[in-house]
Amino acid sequence: QVQLVESGGGLVQPGGSLRLSCTVSGTIFGIYMAWYRQAPGKQREFVARITTNSGTNYLDSVKGRFTISRDNVKGALYLQMDSLKPEDTAVYYCNKYPGTWSWGQGTQVTVSS
């Protein structure tokens, strides 16, 4: 059973930055990985994806502000979030793509002045 542990969230002012990390108990070699988020009262949504060759895709609203990256040796996934907006407030989760393992606990990101 793969376990996912997300970290790095917090409270930040609009325009600020955060770097999220995700550790995976199993290997991520050969696996597309992604970040997702769920805002209060909304469904979980896709945020960013990274292929095995580090090709990336982003939700339109985060393009140019968020950067996804991976470290296959460490079994880790990252999300650098810059120019944060209040609408980025959500619990952020990592998982594989497509399809999912069991979800981790996520990490809360709150963007507020």
Side-chain angles (χ1 to χ4, degrees):
Q1 178 96 3
V2 173
Q3 292 186 325
L4 305 167
V5 179
E6 301 90 350
S7 62
L11 173 63
V12 63
Q13 292 186 341
S17 297
L18 284 173
R19 179 176 169 85
L20 305 184
S21 298
C22 166
T23 57
V24 183
S25 62
T27 183
I28 62 172
F29 277 99
I31 298 174
Y32 287 22
M33 295 293 296
W35 284 96
Y36 303 82
R37 68 186 181 187
Q38 187 167 19
K42 296 186 178 181
Q43 290 189 332
R44 187 175 286 147
E45 66 176 351
F46 165 85
V47 174
R49 180 189 76 168
I50 186 164
T51 69
T52 54
N53 295 323
S54 294
T56 57
N57 298 93
Y58 297 92
L59 180 69
D60 283 348
S61 63
V62 308
K63 283 180 181 177
R65 301 189 296 120
F66 290 11
T67 304
I68 187 173
S69 60
R70 63 191 292 159
D71 185 327
N72 290 335
V73 174
K74 293 182 178 179
L77 186 71
Y78 306 100
L79 186 68
Q80 176 67 41
M81 306 188 297
D82 299 316
S83 302
L84 282 161
K85 303 177 180 180
E87 51 263 43
D88 295 319
T89 295
V91 179
Y92 285 71
Y93 302 87
C94 65
N95 217 309
K96 65 176 182 174
Y97 180 99
T100 60
W101 294 307
S102 295
W103 294 96
Q105 83 287 350
T107 186
Q108 175 70 50
V109 171
T110 303
V111 185
S112 175
S113 55

